[in-house]
Amino acid sequence: MSENSGLETKWARLRENMVRSQIEARGIRDPRVLRAMRKVPRHRFVDAASLEHAYEDRPLPIGLDQTISQPYIVAFMTEQLQLRGGERILEVGTGSGYQTAVLAEMGGEVFTLEIHEPLSRIARQRLAELGYGNVRFAVGDGRQGWPEEAPFGAILAAASAEAVPPALLEQLAIGGRLVLPLGVEHQDLMMITRTAEGDVARNLLPVRFVPLVHG
């Protein structure tokens, strides 16, 4: 066995253990989400200094005061979107590109926004190397969304705002779901479903995310 082959076997084993112990054991059931979490190589999205911690149950720093989210939270937020394939998905906060890759595995077209140009550039390169052709990137203020590409069947924000940005609600299609953390000192992960009769909000669980930065 070559050294590279041995490393890939090691990473695959750690990834499988991550899914079983951190994700399935905590109630994630959507088979498409579990398949995506088993496939996306999280170690390709962390800095060299954090490589040995790539599959641990915690967020990790990626520079510019940003983090790659805890694997369980990535899986949980993705499951809450209830994706079935083919949706146009807006991601606010590209970060490392890990959540982006998980969304891309769900079979839709992903439009991802990042305010920090260096992070967007690195994520674009990583995802290209991994063969993801269904992702479009932009650098800009996530609070404004991506109006030229709206409406979206699902929107996921990986940074916390004090209140729901109105532009994101406006760009959500009827029947679509917006999942985002709200709050400053105390944050809650919220899901907002757009219906013909109005928006329905649901509190999912307490979380801790970096703040959504203004442009």
Side-chain angles (χ1 to χ4, degrees):
M1 179 182 293
S2 68
E3 181 178 355
N4 185 61
S5 177
L7 277 175
E8 288 307 312
T9 299
K10 167 194 168 183
W11 293 128
R13 184 174 64 251
L14 289 172
R15 196 156 54 247
E16 178 62 27
N17 182 65
M18 175 193 77
V19 172
R20 289 185 178 181
S21 64
Q22 301 173 32
I23 297 172
E24 283 185 311
R26 295 169 72 179
I28 302 300
R29 293 289 178 265
D30 187 328
R32 300 178 73 248
V33 174
L34 294 173
R35 185 163 56 247
M37 297 300 292
R38 282 188 164 97
K39 182 176 178 181
V40 178
R42 192 171 188 255
H43 65 279
R44 295 286 297 273
F45 295 88
V46 304
D47 295 344
S50 299
L51 193 59
E52 65 180 295
H53 307 294
Y55 292 101
E56 294 179 4
D57 187 28
R58 58 175 168 136
L60 296 168
I62 58 171
L64 299 175
D65 295 321
Q66 304 299 299
T67 60
I68 179 174
S69 294
Q70 173 187 4
Y72 170 73
I73 290 296
V74 170
F76 182 85
M77 292 177 73
T78 305
E79 185 174 60
Q80 294 304 311
L81 293 175
Q82 299 181 31
L83 301 171
R84 293 294 172 261
E87 294 92 348
R88 293 165 64 82
I89 306 164
L90 175 64
E91 179 191 31
V92 176
T94 311
S96 69
Y98 178 62
Q99 173 76 78
T100 317
V102 172
L103 292 173
E105 284 290 343
M106 302 298 287
E109 188 173 9
V110 182
F111 299 80
T112 184
L113 285 165
E114 173 56 56
I115 199 165
H116 299 290
E117 189 278 335
L119 293 181
S120 180
R121 177 167 27 89
I122 293 169
R124 183 195 296 257
Q125 180 180 340
R126 284 171 173 156
L127 288 162
E129 289 171 353
L130 291 169
Y132 291 103
N134 58 333
V135 181
R136 291 178 58 185
F137 298 82
V139 175
D141 187 345
R143 294 170 184 267
Q144 304 307 313
W146 200 326
E148 299 83 1
E149 298 296 344
F152 298 100
I155 301 176
L156 184 151
S160 180
E162 295 181 30
V164 181
L168 298 187
L169 283 177
E170 291 168 5
Q171 293 170 33
L172 189 63
I174 298 295
R177 292 174 175 80
L178 164 62
V179 173
L180 81 168
L182 290 180
V184 182
E185 292 302 319
H186 175 81
Q187 298 177 11
D188 290 299
L189 189 64
M190 304 293 296
M191 179 174 69
I192 300 170
T193 304
R194 168 144 286 189
T195 73
E197 293 74 34
D199 300 327
V200 178
R202 180 183 168 200
N203 189 320
L204 299 173
L205 77 167
V207 290
R208 173 58 61 185
F209 277 83
V210 297
L212 185 59
V213 180
H214 286 279

